[in-house]
Amino acid sequence: MPKVSIVMPTYNRDKVIQHAIRSVIDQSYQDWELIIIDDGGADNTKRVVDGFANPRIIYKKIEHCGFVSKVRNVGNQMAKGEIIVVHDSDDAALPDRLEEIVKAFEENPDADLVYHGLYMRFYDPFNNALSRGVRPALPYTKEHILKEQFIPGQVAYKRQTILDLGGYDERVRCCDDYEMLLNFALNDKKFVPIYKNLYEYADSPDSINVNGEMDGSRRRDVEVILDILKTKYNTQAIAGLIKNTVGGELISREIIR
């Protein structure tokens, strides 16, 4: 039974997923399993995964749904580790990410969720160049998370906690991370920050986040989240989630109340 289960949703990522997998294999902490859930992709992702020939990597292909919340729930149900780590298929973990996460849980046995800072990598289409930034971990307060998603979605949580909370709401297509964080916060779960940057997040032009901004999915997700807050928790939040970016630069923002 591994201590840590890394759950990695993917969809048509055969050109980049090898970097994400390699960053898991290269971790200083080695008591892990990697669960890759393929959302019915039509590319060669399975061939790439099989090429690693690693018995700790589990690949499962499901019928395409287009809702990353559903895909994450499948992986979380399969996970055997007491700690589940979120890792997307176009991103990379720094070598000590798992070591630091496990250490944080061991030092805070009552913690439900651990988060950390990260590096951000954007493609600048105007100059055909990569642009990089830093998103540091900030101290947690419930009031802050109700106002904005200041915690990146690439977190780690106890398997039992996420299952007890019912997992991700499967009506949410691309804002699954914010819905999950609000679920933890409004159920008074304990958040523990790691004040280190342990991950490189890639904002790909064809990612579900970018596409969600373009096709209206992000707006619909915000409306679902606000409905959850009102009907389930009798509370409200200002959800500043509708935005358009080019090369990582915010060019417009729309607030839904």
Side-chain angles (χ1 to χ4, degrees):
M1 299 290 288
K3 177 82 169 180
V4 174
S5 297
I6 303 108
V7 174
M8 184 181 293
T10 190
Y11 179 66
N12 290 341
R13 281 286 186 269
D14 63 353
K15 300 297 190 294
V16 296
I17 193 172
Q18 68 271 24
H19 305 301
I21 296 171
R22 185 75 247 180
S23 75
V24 172
I25 293 174
D26 291 341
Q27 289 295 298
S28 57
Y29 183 87
Q30 286 290 306
D31 189 10
W32 54 263
E33 65 175 355
L34 171 59
I35 301 172
I36 299 172
I37 308 297
D38 189 337
D39 185 22
D43 64 354
N44 294 315
T45 292
K46 186 178 187 302
R47 183 182 301 175
V48 174
V49 175
D50 289 346
F52 283 92
N54 191 312
R56 290 181 292 171
I57 300 176
I58 302 157
Y59 173 87
K60 180 179 178 63
K61 189 170 187 176
I62 63 174
E63 184 177 352
H64 179 62
C65 65
F67 284 72
V68 70
S69 53
K70 295 182 181 180
V71 182
R72 293 198 197 280
N73 282 342
V74 172
N76 287 353
Q77 290 287 343
M78 293 173 57
K80 298 182 178 69
E82 64 180 78
I83 299 170
I84 294 178
V85 175
V86 177
H87 191 133
D88 292 339
S89 60
D90 52 355
D91 299 338
L94 272 66
D96 57 343
R97 184 189 187 209
L98 296 185
E99 182 179 350
E100 292 289 345
I101 287 172
V102 171
K103 179 182 176 183
F105 275 110
E106 289 176 345
E107 293 179 349
N108 301 272
D110 57 341
D112 294 292
L113 183 148
V114 168
Y115 64 98
H116 51 71
L118 50 78
Y119 299 101
M120 305 183 72
R121 185 176 78 247
F122 300 96
Y123 174 66
D124 174 3
F126 300 117
N127 300 292
N128 191 28
L130 289 176
S131 175
R132 287 181 166 87
V134 176
R135 187 171 180 182
L138 301 175
Y140 170 77
T141 67
K142 183 190 294 188
E143 293 74 21
H144 195 175
I145 199 68
L146 282 171
K147 293 180 180 178
E148 64 173 328
Q149 187 190 339
F150 71 95
I151 298 174
Q154 291 71 28
V155 301
Y157 37 67
K158 287 180 177 174
R159 177 180 181 273
Q160 197 57 53
T161 303
I162 189 72
L163 296 182
D164 289 345
L165 291 175
Y168 293 81
D169 191 300
E170 296 190 353
R171 294 174 294 168
V172 176
R173 178 174 179 262
C174 58
C175 296
D176 55 293
D177 47 2
Y178 192 33
E179 182 273 326
M180 174 270 298
L181 291 168
L182 289 172
N183 198 11
F184 272 73
L186 290 168
N187 281 281
D188 295 320
K189 300 305 178 182
K190 183 172 181 178
F191 288 64
V192 171
I194 300 173
Y195 295 111
K196 295 182 179 180
N197 300 321
L198 300 172
Y199 192 83
E200 186 176 61
Y201 170 85
D203 194 2
S204 308
D206 61 345
S207 71
I208 192 170
N209 286 322
V210 175
N211 287 333
E213 292 169 2
M214 297 174 62
D215 66 13
S217 297
R218 204 169 181 90
R219 168 183 281 277
R220 290 190 294 271
D221 281 358
V222 172
E223 293 171 348
V224 170
I225 290 170
L226 294 180
D227 179 66
I228 293 170
L229 293 175
K230 181 178 179 180
T231 59
K232 186 176 180 180
Y233 298 107
N234 192 30
T235 189
Q236 295 180 340
I238 298 173
L241 288 176
I242 308 301
K243 63 183 186 297
N244 294 298
T245 60
V246 174
E249 295 297 325
L250 186 66
I251 58 174
S252 70
R253 181 187 292 273
E254 185 174 355
I255 303 296
I256 295 178
R257 296 179 184 269

